[in-house]
Amino acid sequence: MTVDPIGIHVGLVALRPKPHTVRSFDWTLVRSFRFREGLTQQELATAVRASRATIASIESGRSRPSVSLALAIAGRLGATVEELFSDDDLR
């Protein structure tokens, strides 16, 4: 809330939380976890209802998954999204 020079409240300031954003992602972890599970790119893609090209693009860092796809990938790989991200990668 702000006050003018004569002490009258002039308005309220609305504070909005910043959206949670991801700055970067260690895509090599996706590949490592996929290898640990013994999955091919195609098998992972089928399990998470994506194309093999999408998985390849994510693993190479050319594209980033949506939140729902990231959650599906993490779930199928037996990991949490937090395990696939480093602390420095999250705001």
Side-chain angles (χ1 to χ4, degrees), residues 15-90:
L15 299 177
R16 297 180 199 185
K18 290 184 178 181
H20 182 72
T21 58
V22 177
R23 294 185 310 189
S24 64
F25 188 83
D26 187 352
W27 302 112
T28 58
L29 285 176
V30 173
R31 185 178 185 139
S32 297
F33 274 76
R34 180 175 60 78
F35 282 162
R36 183 189 72 185
E37 293 295 309
L39 296 171
T40 65
Q41 287 181 339
Q42 184 60 57
E43 290 168 332
L44 177 58
T46 300
V48 299
R49 297 182 181 185
S51 69
R52 190 212 53 81
T54 296
I55 299 300
S57 184
I58 290 168
E59 287 185 354
S60 70
R62 287 189 310 264
S63 67
R64 294 181 179 184
S66 64
V67 171
S68 60
L69 182 55
L71 288 168
I73 290 170
R76 178 55 189 94
L77 296 178
T80 64
V81 173
E82 292 82 7
E83 288 176 302
L84 295 178
F85 288 90
S86 71
D87 291 340
D88 294 336
D89 292 334
L90 299 176

Side-chain angles (χ1 to χ4, degrees), residues 3-18:
V3 178
D4 73 2
I6 58 172
I8 300 172
H9 296 289
V10 244
L12 299 175
V13 177
L15 299 177
R16 297 180 199 185
K18 290 184 178 181

